[in-house]
Amino acid sequence: NAGVMQNPRHLVRRRGQEARLRCSPMKGHSHVYWYRQLPEEGLKFMVYLQKENIIDESGMPKERFSAEFPKEGPSILRIQQVVRGDSAAYFCASSNQGKGETQYFGPGTRLLVL
Amino acid sequence: GENVEQHPSTLSVQEGDSAVIKCTYSDSASNYFPWYKQELGKRPQLIIDIRSNVGEKKDQRIAVTLNKTAKHFSLHITETQPEDSAVYFCAASGGTYKYIFGTGTRLKVLA
């Protein structure tokens, strides 16, 4: 019973490098959400994707951040030219349907920018 | 904009006592309210949820109540145990696809 998978679990990058975070949704789920959690804070919505489509990216910074969910393979959250403020836990969630449906979370990727 | 307020931010109770965490949401279109438990370094785990067509839901020691008129919903944990110690997040959804999370309550159950 594979749940939502994320990798890597921990990622260390130096300022200016790229970070690439992967998320495989639960089997049968076609809706993926990315959230960011800063230390000692709640989760903030970043982006919502369905296969090959970005539905809502209202929570994602317009620069340096991008997300995709290709027809085959995992969803990718990409952060270019990372800065120290990008250090956070990034959680992916998936659901079977969209609006108003239960979202199941992955274990998260903890990004540390040196 | 959409907002969920959560209180208290920290809560300490004696083992066996009850714990209550309260949330208030702003988007009247919200119709789904999940609660998540997050242990240190772990993923948020769904513990209970409620939809807007019911006022209360119970699952063993955990219950959630919803007052749509006042836009309040609350988590009640009875007979608390040390393993209930964690951060609890409420969320509201339905007006849009995304969850709007509260800021979390750090619950500490003292043995």
Side-chain angles (χ1 to χ4, degrees):
Chain A
N1 180 22
V4 180
M5 312 277 281
Q6 287 187 250
N7 68 81
R9 297 289 304 276
H10 299 274
L11 183 60
V12 180
R13 285 287 177 264
R14 296 194 180 280
R15 280 178 296 169
Q17 291 184 318
E18 178 179 290
R20 199 173 277 247
L21 289 61
R22 295 175 198 81
C23 169
S24 296
M26 281 180 73
K27 189 176 181 181
H29 286 188
S30 59
H31 301 254
V32 167
Y33 313 80
W34 286 92
Y35 293 85
R36 178 163 64 178
Q37 186 176 35
L38 294 170
E40 302 295 319
E41 292 190 14
L43 295 100
K44 302 286 188 198
F45 169 80
M46 297 182 74
V47 60
Y48 162 46
L49 309 101
Q50 293 181 31
K51 283 284 187 182
E52 300 184 273
N53 287 304
I54 296 174
I55 307 301
D56 181 352
E57 55 183 350
S58 60
M60 196 160 66
K62 302 234 181 304
E63 297 183 357
R64 304 189 298 109
F65 285 73
S66 63
E68 63 177 11
F69 189 14
K71 189 177 180 181
E72 301 291 336
S75 175
I76 307 282
L77 179 68
R78 186 177 172 215
I79 312 172
Q80 296 178 287
Q81 299 175 329
V82 295
V83 300
R84 290 220 173 101
D86 296 333
S87 296
Y90 291 83
F91 289 95
C92 163
S94 73
S95 69
N96 186 28
Q97 304 288 336
K99 191 183 292 187
E101 286 296 317
T102 301
Q103 296 177 17
Y104 296 92
F105 282 81
T109 294
R110 280 146 187 85
L111 172 65
L112 175 64
V113 180
L114 301 177
Chain B
E2 302 150 325
N3 186 47
V4 174
E5 293 188 3
Q6 183 172 347
H7 299 283
S9 55
T10 60
L11 179 60
S12 292
V13 299
Q14 288 294 133
E15 182 177 0
D17 286 351
S18 295
V20 180
I21 302 170
K22 298 181 179 181
C23 289
T24 304
Y25 60 97
S26 62
D27 185 357
S28 56
S30 298
N31 59 10
Y32 177 63
F33 307 92
W35 284 88
Y36 287 84
K37 175 184 180 182
Q38 188 178 29
E39 296 176 66
L40 189 63
K42 301 279 184 68
R43 77 183 75 193
Q45 295 264 19
L46 180 73
I47 56 171
I48 197 167
D49 56 11
I50 191 167
R51 295 190 185 274
S52 59
N53 56 347
V54 298
E56 184 173 358
K57 184 176 177 181
K58 192 171 181 181
D59 182 4
Q60 298 182 355
R61 296 187 297 109
I62 297 173
V64 58
T65 58
L66 171 64
N67 181 333
K68 279 218 77 177
T69 303
K71 297 184 190 169
H72 288 167
F73 60 113
S74 299
L75 177 72
H76 304 252
I77 307 174
T78 58
E79 300 171 27
T80 53
Q81 301 165 4
E83 50 265 38
D84 294 330
S85 296
V87 180
Y88 291 81
F89 292 98
C90 63
S93 175
T96 64
Y97 298 96
K98 59 193 175 192
Y99 282 5
I100 305 299
F101 279 90
T103 48
T105 296
R106 186 176 299 279
L107 174 64
K108 188 178 289 187
V109 179
L110 306 170

